Amino acid sequence: MSESTRLADRRSLVVGDRAYAMGDENGLYPATGWHTRGEMGGIWSAPLKLLDGIWFGVDGSWLGKDTAAAKYTSGQGYQRISYPGAVSVERTDFVPDGVRATLVGLTFKSATAKTVALDVDAHSELMQSYPWGWTTPNAAQMNLPDSGSYSDGTLQFREQGTPPITNAAKHDYTAIVGSTLRPANHALGADHRGPQDPAVICPADGDAPKHCDDTAFGKGTGGRLTYSVDLKPGRTTTVWFAVAGSDEGKSAAQKEYKRAISNPEKLLQAKKKSRAAIDAMSAVDLPGDRLLQQSVEWSKQNLADSVQEAHNLQIRDVNEGKAYPAPSGTVDVARWFGAGFPDYPWLFATDGEYTSYAAVAAGQFDTVKAHLRALRDVSDLLNNRSGKVAHEVTPTGDVYFGSNTSAGNTDETVKFPSIVALLWRWTGDDRFRDEMYDFSVRNLKYVYRELDQDGDGWLEGLANVERNGMGSEKLDSTVYLARGLRDLADLAASKHDRATQQWATAKAADLEKRFESQWWVDQAFGYADSIDDPKNPANDNTPIFQRHWTGVTPMEAELVRPGQPTTPLASADHAKTALDQREKPCYTGEFGLFHTGTGPTSDPAGNPGPSCDTVVSAVKSERSIFSLNTSIMAVAEGNFGRLGKSQQQVYTTGNARIQLDPNVWETPGAMPEIAPSPDSPANIDRAFTDRSMTLQAWGAYGILWPVVHQQLGVDPDLGHGKLAVVPQIPGGQRKVAGSNIRLGRGSVDVSASLAGKEIRTEVHSKGLSATVTIGAVLPAGAKVQAVSLDGRVAKYKLVTTARGTEVQVAAHGSHSTLRVTLS
């Protein structure tokens, strides 16, 4: 996907699992991000920033300023920037997986024979991802001055020493910059930011210019390499550059540099090949919704772009940035889905748990497993094996939030067993189940032991929304606890752990029995966001309604109950009422679901926009549309078979547009954290230090899960040796299809079509040993006249589910075709 307008206002991003780079789409590197203001862009290798940027000058003309880019292209695993001129230049950036380096290739072309002078500036900023700008200690206190040198044709930058901070360790950080060519000259100095000299410095806090070049935290230095490049008429010449580094000393950085620069073309082809393999999994054909089909393609790449890995994480509880104790232990290797770039590319429980549903639908099982292992390993060291799941973990191992002493996030702990069960059902991997089982049991034992002070089964503690006026017991924690209990019971049954199975089943049944009477609020046409403080007997269990997006979770989370159809926690009647309400303009904008809907103008906080109920709340609306909120709504609609143009398609289209619509995107193909919204202006119009994430992994949940699990109907239970494929064709469409949908060690192809009064479902499985059920969801009000399987009359079941009435038939063999004739 390409863009040619406002390139200097758009962020660029290339990612590998051991490094990433962010600049702008003109090829420059404005100061970016806000965790450590202005320092979150540039070139990184977790947990270390290497450079503020690298700049290129051709015959004294700096690319990106003197010669502006004409086009920016985002590809699968790489980016390309085109510069016109008598000597045209095409810049290709990518990050090879498994290497702590970023590679940049410049391809020159001239109509005449010519020798060009090529200047390359690099400015270091060797800095850890934590501490941040406002923490205690902060980034400025931890950051030491860099030194620069020239050796063997390369610029070498180092930061060595021990910061003057209690519990800080001695370190030796190194970044190396070089090329496949030998430089003719070099220079060292404090600046060397190419066309961004002299640098505009962002202050540490307070007002800042819209564009800065460096920051008050910066203590880097610079250098220049100068080359002569001979060009032949009409032929292309490519010169490669590598930026490599390590937090483990100079020799380790040199090793990474040599791995990167030895054969860049081979590494680029390997990167493209790996991304093509990702593209080939869960490939879909949606003739009635080509935008959604394209979003599936790019969402798979977004997930791959989010993978990060770090080694030797020193786990410490920094208590929301207020402390810096000695580490409690070391995690040798952690691998995870980074939540968002540039300010959240680290390990989160919330983000990873939602992202896992998208990732399994895309066949990216291994990263989900690694993410869960990382959360378990960090959490057990941090919390002395209590079972509580850590919330936010930087690549250094510093845990910002999520220790035993903190108040949350409760929902993350109760969601963990569900993601283990999710992986087990999609892979049939008993070894992984066994590896995670003990921690999963401890998750739910912990919350009942520590977070249910009044013993009513509604857990206390923070959850996804943290706003004033909320009661201590949150809706989303309740919903995900009910799901987690059912999933733990399923895992326990497969392990023949009858005591845990009975305990979890009894707890779940009790919550489900009491849920509607406690949480439903008639006058709000929806569920309460929280219930009041159980320590106050006068207000015990009083519902509090504030219109947050979490009100959709009772319709979004599916519960697996033995011998019953899988269904959300919400009752069918209440689900219809609540989803109808959330589709209205008080909750839904152009690109999806608001964080907090609008209420009466009589509310003490005041609420711009329409109101759909009369409930008075002291909380002001937040008409910011997060891609996660929209995802939750898309999934909830699909769980109840609401796939029409005014239903699920509003939300899948909303997320697809902010990713793919050239009138909306900032970075082409990247799903952002927040859509342009009434209360959240578009990123492209904001300062680089005041933007939401240009790529946020969780948005893929609202694309891949609705298509693969709901529309194509792929519902594996490989842990029990079963697979159901029961598609539902969205309203107004005639066909949906998918191929190479990965399940365990095999895959399945699915096609569903509606022609006249015949529904046809075709399933082809490869490499699976499972009992297969094939079926179709009937259109509303339709009746069955006849059912055939592979040309023969078939016995069938009609099963009432939350999605509607399903026709289900036992399939035989690896290739089955079901025809349902409607009367």
Side-chain angles (χ1 to χ4, degrees), residues 61-120:
S61 177
W62 290 105
L63 300 181
K65 184 177 182 182
D66 304 313
T67 303
K71 183 172 66 174
Y72 171 87
T73 299
S74 178
Q76 293 185 352
Y78 67 91
Q79 67 181 21
R80 188 162 287 150
I81 305 175
S82 301
Y83 302 94
V87 176
S88 66
V89 182
E90 192 168 73
R91 171 177 172 171
T92 301
D93 294 45
F94 79 101
V95 183
D97 291 322
V99 184
R100 302 187 70 177
T102 293
L103 282 158
V104 181
L106 298 184
T107 299
F108 299 88
K109 188 174 183 180
S110 171
T112 61
K114 185 177 179 63
T115 298
V116 300
L118 174 62
D119 291 322
V120 181

Side-chain angles (χ1 to χ4, degrees), residues 630-682:
T630 302
S631 295
I632 297 293
M633 189 65 179
V635 171
E637 295 268 47
N639 284 340
F640 287 91
R642 299 162 61 104
L643 306 187
K645 290 186 177 180
S646 63
Q647 298 170 324
Q648 184 183 78
Q649 293 176 49
V650 170
Y651 304 96
T652 54
T653 298
N655 268 0
R657 284 188 62 199
I658 63 177
Q659 179 188 37
L660 302 173
D661 187 336
N663 298 310
V664 181
W665 71 39
E666 180 195 1
T667 303
M671 182 85 71
E673 179 188 15
I674 304 177
S677 313
D679 294 338
S680 186

